[in-house]
Amino acid sequence: MIQAKGYAVENAKDRLKPYDFERRAPGPKDVQIEIAYCGVCHSDIHLARDEWGMSNYPMVPGHEIVGKVVAVGKEVSKFAVGDHAGVGCMVDSCRTCGSCHEGLEQFCENGMTLTYGSYEKDGKTLTQGGYSNVIVVDEDFTLRVDKRLDLAKAAPLLCAGITTYSPLRHWQIGPQHKVAVVGLGGLGHMALKFAKAFGAHVTQFTTSPHKVEDAKALGADEVILSKEAAQMQAAANRFDFILNTVSADIGYDQYLNCLKRDGTMVLVGLPEHGCEIHAAPLIFGRRSIAGSLIGGIPETQEMLDFCAEHGIGSDIEIIKADQINDAWERVINSDVKYRFVIDASSF
Ligand code: NAP
Ligand code: ZN
Ligand code: ZN
């Protein structure tokens, strides 16, 4: 076994505290990664506080993991010691169902294994995430991170990056589209960068007036303050595609009204509670609402390679382990610019 040091919560009401635990020694197909950085995703907070009713404890959160390969099993073919590698939200899946065969492991029909808070196939080992100094993962769920990418800025790509890249690609967003992004947080700022990189005209919706200038600097062609009724009225019927990244319970109807005829709003933000959707904004305009979940392993690799090619990374604030509890409060208060990344040498 390998000794690991990290931060964990023991239950849904707990604060993160230092936590020592063990990881398996690398098996023949495993890659051992010395973690350099781990991003702080809002999902870490939802899961630590059991807001989705599926959490297991003790929980070491973190699924935006990058670092250096320090050991490989003897059957590993894609990685060598010294490589940069990443791990996102999944570390295993059944590998036999239709979704797994299509490289859409996130929709594994037998249930994927999440990077933390999931039981491995033995049914008893709880997976533990990247708020720690070392991780051991099967090479099939380990991503190559090009050395052109700054490791700290690359960490958030493993969740915020792929979660926004995937729906933009699936709905084939390009220069012909007027796109809007709702919420300028970790996911939102990556959505903005990708939509611009794909050539779309991009509008950012935000509830935070102090983010207007940042949104423009990040590439937004326009910014709409969603709490200003006049600005929302003027936004009616304007967009082909809206990506909604909001983590809190807000209504969806006001944004559906901003879609053109036949437009689609995709939800990636996953608030604790559901909310009512009226049929009217869908019916009048033949509009659609859909959802999207992270992305499969092949597409995650494609996204990382795209970022290396185009010089795309996350805008980050680097923190130490003993600052994570405070960082979580700032995330909840929409006060992050635009992703916290933990320096794993501080565990
Ligand atoms: P985040 O950094 O906290 O960003 C969320 C943004 O939503 C905030 O910055 C804020 O933007 C807006 N917001 C927050 N509270 C709001 C409120 N009460 N009313 C209106 N707007 C509000 O979170 P994140 O890490 O990007 O994650 C966003 C959501 O996506 C979370 O629910 C997370 O669990 C989920 N997620 C889903 C997937 C997936 O596969 N579908 C993957 C990762 C994360 P403004 O200040 O601009 O308004
Ligand atoms: Zn995430
Ligand atoms: Zn499967």
Side-chain angles (χ1 to χ4, degrees):
M1 298 296 262
I2 294 172
Q3 291 301 318
K5 286 196 298 190
Y7 266 49
V9 289
E10 297 283 349
N11 58 61
K13 304 252 178 279
D14 201 12
R15 280 167 66 81
L16 287 157
K17 296 189 200 79
Y19 179 69
D20 290 341
F21 62 107
E22 290 185 332
R23 302 233 187 235
R24 67 174 183 266
K29 289 263 290 155
D30 284 336
V31 177
Q32 183 180 336
I33 302 166
E34 180 186 278
I35 300 175
Y37 298 100
C38 182
V40 172
C41 179
H42 206 118
S43 301
D44 298 340
I45 305 171
H46 291 306
L47 281 162
R49 300 185 177 177
D50 201 12
E51 290 173 355
W52 298 335
M54 56 181 275
S55 297
N56 294 302
Y57 304 93
M59 178 192 291
V60 177
H63 57 208
E64 293 185 336
I65 301 164
V66 291
K68 198 181 278 184
V69 175
V70 290
V72 292
K74 58 180 183 300
E75 289 167 24
V76 167
S77 60
K78 288 192 301 189
F79 295 91
V81 170
D83 286 352
H84 286 176
V87 180
C89 300
M90 304 177 279
V91 289
D92 206 355
S93 68
C94 86
R95 304 168 188 231
T96 57
C97 73
S99 296
C100 285
H101 277 306
E102 286 182 68
L104 296 167
E105 300 88 350
Q106 75 275 33
F107 301 120
C108 175
E109 287 136 46
N110 297 302
M112 60 171 156
T113 308
L114 292 170
T115 300
Y116 63 87
S118 262
Y119 285 99
E120 287 184 17
K121 283 184 180 143
D122 65 8
K124 53 183 191 214
T125 309
L126 200 51
T127 56
Q128 300 293 7
Y131 290 14
S132 59
N133 61 346
V134 61
I135 192 164
V136 176
V137 179
D138 188 303
E139 72 163 335
D140 293 343
F141 284 80
T142 305
L143 287 307
R144 293 185 309 278
V145 177
D146 193 296
K147 288 208 170 153
R148 284 175 290 177
L149 286 167
D150 177 288
L151 269 185
K153 292 179 182 171
L157 301 176
L158 274 303
C159 177
I162 184 58
T163 302
T164 51
Y165 181 94
S166 184
L168 292 167
R169 282 298 198 214
H170 184 77
W171 273 271
Q172 300 179 348
I173 295 308
Q176 69 280 25
H177 292 120
K178 282 206 182 319
V179 168
V181 176
V182 187
L184 187 56
L187 268 58
H189 92 291
M190 290 312 306
L192 191 48
K193 291 186 187 209
F194 286 132
K196 278 310 286 179
F198 301 162
H201 179 279
V202 189
T203 299
Q204 179 71 51
F205 284 97
T206 180
T207 59
S208 307
H210 64 275
K211 294 183 185 172
V212 171
E213 288 315 312
D214 286 353
K216 288 184 181 156
L218 286 161
D221 297 292
E222 289 176 59
V223 185
I224 293 173
L225 286 171
S226 48
K227 287 183 175 160
E228 300 283 334
Q231 291 192 31
M232 289 304 280
Q233 266 162 22
N237 304 307
R238 285 197 46 209
F239 303 104
D240 299 290
F241 184 85
I242 298 178
L243 193 60
N244 194 323
T245 75
V246 175
S247 52
D249 307 322
I250 55 159
Y252 297 124
D253 293 349
Q254 55 174 335
Y255 297 107
L256 287 171
N257 277 318
C258 297
L259 289 169
K260 289 185 197 170
R261 193 202 70 219
D262 292 322
T264 300
M265 176 159 75
V266 174
L267 308 179
V268 286
L270 182 51
E272 181 174 7
H273 304 290
C275 71
E276 223 173 64
I277 297 173
H278 293 286
L282 297 172
I283 290 172
F284 289 87
R286 202 163 54 192
R287 300 171 173 120
S288 304
I289 187 162
S292 187
L293 177 65
I294 50 177
I297 295 297
E299 194 175 43
T300 306
Q301 190 63 62
E302 175 191 308
M303 178 274 310
L304 285 167
D305 295 345
F306 181 89
C307 289
E309 205 55 50
H310 293 83
I312 294 174
S314 184
D315 286 36
I316 56 167
E317 264 186 65
I318 297 180
I319 55 169
K320 306 258 186 242
D322 61 6
Q323 296 173 287
I324 314 173
N325 284 302
D326 293 338
W328 277 15
E329 291 311 312
R330 283 187 50 196
V331 171
I332 291 163
N333 293 323
S334 301
D335 175 26
V336 47
K337 293 193 166 188
Y338 278 87
R339 200 58 144 184
F340 288 112
V341 170
I342 308 159
D343 174 356
S345 68
S346 60
F347 285 115

